[in-house]
Amino acid sequence: MEQEYDVVVIGGGPGGYVAAIRAAQLGRSVALVEKERPGGVCLNWGCIPTKAMLRSAEVLETVRHAEEYGVKAPEALLDYPAVVARRDGIVRGLTDGIARLLDANGVTVLTGHARFLDAHTVAVHDTVPPPGDENGPGYAAPPADGPPRTTIKGRNIVIATGSRPVAPRIDGGDLPGVITSDGAFGLPEVPRRVVVVGGSAIGAEWAGLLHSFGAEVTVVEIMSTLVPAEDVEIARMLTRAFDKRGIRVLTGHTVTGIRSVLGGLSVDVEAVGGGEAGEVPADVVLFGIGRLPNTEELDLDRAGVAVDVRGYILVDDQLRTDVAHIHAIGDVTGRRQLAHVASHQGLVAAGVICGHEESIDYSVIPAATFTHPEVASVGLTEARAADEGHAVVAARFPFAALGRAHTYGATEGMAKVVADSRTGRVLGMHIIGPGASELIAAPALALTHDATLASVAATIHAHPTLGEATLEATMSALGLPVHTAPRRRRSHRP
Ligand code: FAD
């Protein structure tokens, strides 16, 4: 007879493990089925390993520029295997920590690939590691008709199976050296010449990272700027900053094919709309062009769970699928594909399963891109606010006018606030510059609590801090700038 649980969670990423822990804390018996390692893409192949490597890149750049800080350092040399070892050690430590947390909360963890047998029953199959790399990612799905290792029942089921990179579907997309972000983690050394296809967060982060490590990098982005989902002024500033650093950025271009040539690869690029075409030589072509939901290998039809045309699971704002006792959370729902969104959805789904009146609100979601300079934002862009009919007021404060940015040695970028001039309500904050990913937490809190420009301006900020940039932008939006010059005076906050 199958073991029955109050809640069965499929997938142990930041959505699934958080939902499992919260449901267990609320007194439910919980089983979590994970086919690879706890932590999902975020801990194993996403947020954490990239940030570990980006930190190595930051240290390298700082040592390279040590003399600017009055420090004489011997030549900065990259030890790439040591960067990888540090990264893998951090990942291992954190994923082991998640396993311990699940255990401490009484969650039963089953290693294997889950498939639905019916709306309450899940079969757990042994997983098959990718050939030659038992650490994955991308364990092959076991055959649907193969015998499962075990089957379990759930009174409630949470699907948190995440997403995988879109593989290139162009001529030459399967050549050796053509990879996605998953493959980038397996690079044995820093390639000499890299073409990154896609300039959104994942592509832009890898481009900056590999450039710092010494690669010659070209980014091909179909839209007119990098990070095109961001406020256009910020996106343009990042595009210019990449250019200034020596990263070649081909915006408004697309890759039409890749060919194997003597000594490497040749990437065919073409301007959107059939303009000029060209070739870029490369040793590695890294595609960061989007993600697809992991729904095909779940046998969702046996449970009656509906998906949209792209395969994403349809959910309501309580994360319920069209089968009332089955919830879905995280990347597989196709909302904002961010770890913190997956985790928040996990908390809400667990609460709803336990009878709480909870629902999710996607209007205030901070997001960060860990490039140099960093980009972070929350709420509406200026263009979006105008589209939604707000009487938009927007104001900026440059880091070049901020004392702390000078002491830090990073004066590139700005904070930009977007507000409604009729109500004074802050609608969005957009930051490019030092510490942007950390600075965005305070504006997110402000937006969650419907703060106005006046209430933010009345909040005392510590000095000298980078956070003063958001305060100063807010004061500017009120027409009361202290450290921004009305035209004739120069900007400066000591
Ligand atoms: P996942 O993390 O994808 O986890 C799903 C889990 O389900 C996996 O462990 C998988 O093995 C398992 N699984 C799948 N199918 C089955 C099955 N049938 N049976 C059993 N188990 C199964 N987000 C941020 O917020 N900040 C960042 O800085 C950031 N950086 C990123 C960098 C990169 C390179 C990438 C690729 C992504 C990044 N993301 C970042 C996005 C973030 O990783 C995802 O949004 C997040 O991991 C989604 O969580 P999830 O729980 O929905 O799914």
Side-chain angles (χ1 to χ4, degrees):
M1 177 134 151
E2 293 119 350
Q3 179 81 40
E4 187 170 24
Y5 296 87
D6 293 327
V7 184
V8 169
V9 179
I10 306 175
Y17 83 74
V18 168
I21 289 174
R22 178 52 58 87
Q25 283 171 343
L26 294 172
R28 301 305 189 270
S29 61
V30 182
L32 183 145
V33 189
E34 168 54 55
K35 71 183 170 74
E36 296 179 14
R37 295 193 293 190
V41 167
C42 180
L43 266 78
N44 292 290
W45 317 111
C47 328
I48 297 297
T50 47
K51 275 66 204 181
M53 294 176 85
L54 281 159
R55 176 70 182 131
S56 293
E58 194 178 50
V59 171
L60 184 65
E61 296 280 7
T62 305
V63 177
R64 274 179 190 150
H65 294 101
E67 284 208 40
E68 291 169 22
Y69 300 82
V71 177
K72 286 201 186 304
E75 195 190 353
L77 288 178
L78 176 72
D79 179 351
Y80 190 69
V83 169
V84 170
R86 175 179 181 271
R87 172 196 82 193
D88 292 348
I90 291 167
V91 166
R92 183 63 69 183
L94 292 175
T95 53
D96 287 353
I98 300 299
R100 279 197 299 275
L101 269 180
L102 288 163
D103 184 53
N105 280 280
V107 175
T108 302
V109 177
L110 301 167
T111 302
H113 184 112
R115 285 181 184 279
F116 279 95
L117 292 178
D118 61 45
H120 281 283
T121 317
V122 169
V124 182
H125 297 256
D126 284 327
T127 41
V128 188
D133 182 8
E134 63 185 32
N135 285 326
Y139 278 34
D145 51 2
R149 192 174 74 241
T150 186
T151 58
I152 54 175
K153 279 193 174 290
R155 288 180 200 94
N156 299 276
I157 296 179
V158 179
I159 304 170
T161 49
S163 64
R164 61 185 188 282
V166 172
R169 275 206 247 130
I170 53 169
D171 284 348
D174 54 356
L175 285 170
V178 181
I179 57 175
T180 63
S181 68
D182 280 359
F185 291 112
L187 288 172
E189 58 188 13
V190 180
R192 194 164 64 82
R193 302 160 305 173
V194 183
V195 171
V196 175
V197 188
S200 293
I202 291 176
E205 287 181 7
W206 275 110
L209 175 64
L210 292 168
H211 172 78
S212 290
F213 285 166
E216 197 181 289
V217 179
T218 303
V219 184
V220 184
E221 164 58 50
I222 199 164
M223 305 299 281
S224 60
T225 61
L226 297 172
V227 291
E230 296 291 344
D231 186 276
V232 69
E233 275 182 78
I234 303 278
R236 280 189 193 134
M237 281 184 104
L238 184 70
T239 311
R240 280 198 300 272
F242 265 45
D243 195 47
K244 220 166 101 191
R245 280 179 70 194
I247 301 173
R248 187 176 175 212
V249 183
L250 297 174
T251 52
H253 279 72
T254 173
V255 169
T256 52
I258 304 166
R259 283 168 296 114
S260 186
V261 293
L262 196 64
L265 299 166
S266 178
V267 183
D268 298 325
V269 294
E270 196 178 285
V272 178
E276 103 252 15
E279 290 166 23
V280 185
D283 300 300
V284 163
V285 184
L286 195 168
F287 277 79
I289 50 172
R291 316 257 321 156
L292 287 170
N294 293 326
T295 42
E296 294 98 336
E297 318 284 1
L298 277 171
D299 295 333
L300 287 175
D301 46 332
R302 292 189 188 161
V305 172
V307 295
D308 70 12
V309 283
R310 297 166 306 160
Y312 287 102
I313 300 179
L314 302 162
V315 288
D316 64 15
D317 62 3
Q318 294 196 309
L319 290 320
R320 276 201 184 89
T321 67
D322 51 352
V323 181
H325 68 275
I326 302 182
H327 286 69
I329 58 175
D331 280 11
V332 83
T333 62
R335 305 299 300 238
R336 299 283 300 273
Q337 291 186 316
L338 294 167
H340 42 284
V341 174
S343 295
H344 193 75
Q345 287 178 318
L347 295 176
V348 172
V352 170
I353 287 169
C354 296
H356 301 180
E357 260 314 311
E358 289 183 47
S359 60
I360 188 149
D361 174 4
Y362 295 100
S363 58
V364 180
I365 296 177
T369 302
F370 296 77
T371 38
H372 181 77
E374 285 188 358
V375 170
S377 61
V378 63
L380 302 182
T381 62
E382 187 176 354
R384 184 73 192 268
D387 286 349
E388 291 191 8
H390 291 283
V392 176
V393 55
R396 300 136 193 93
F397 189 81
F399 281 105
L402 197 68
R404 181 64 180 129
H406 282 273
T407 65
Y408 207 75
T411 52
E412 194 177 14
M414 67 169 177
K416 172 178 176 179
V417 67
V418 176
D420 187 308
S421 62
R422 282 183 298 238
T423 61
R425 236 184 90 209
V426 180
L427 303 171
M429 185 70 80
H430 308 272
I431 306 170
I432 178 167
S437 59
E438 302 293 339
L439 297 181
I440 206 64
L445 188 67
L447 261 73
T448 302
H449 294 280
D450 292 330
T452 59
L453 290 169
S455 65
V456 173
T459 305
I460 300 175
H461 286 55
H463 175 76
T465 59
L466 297 170
E468 287 170 306
T470 57
L471 170 70
E472 293 280 352
T474 307
M475 294 199 293
S476 286
L478 286 167
L480 297 168
V482 173
H483 295 93
T484 316
R487 294 279 146 83
R488 267 169 288 121
R489 278 187 287 128
R490 292 184 61 200
S491 301
H492 185 64
R493 174 159 190 145

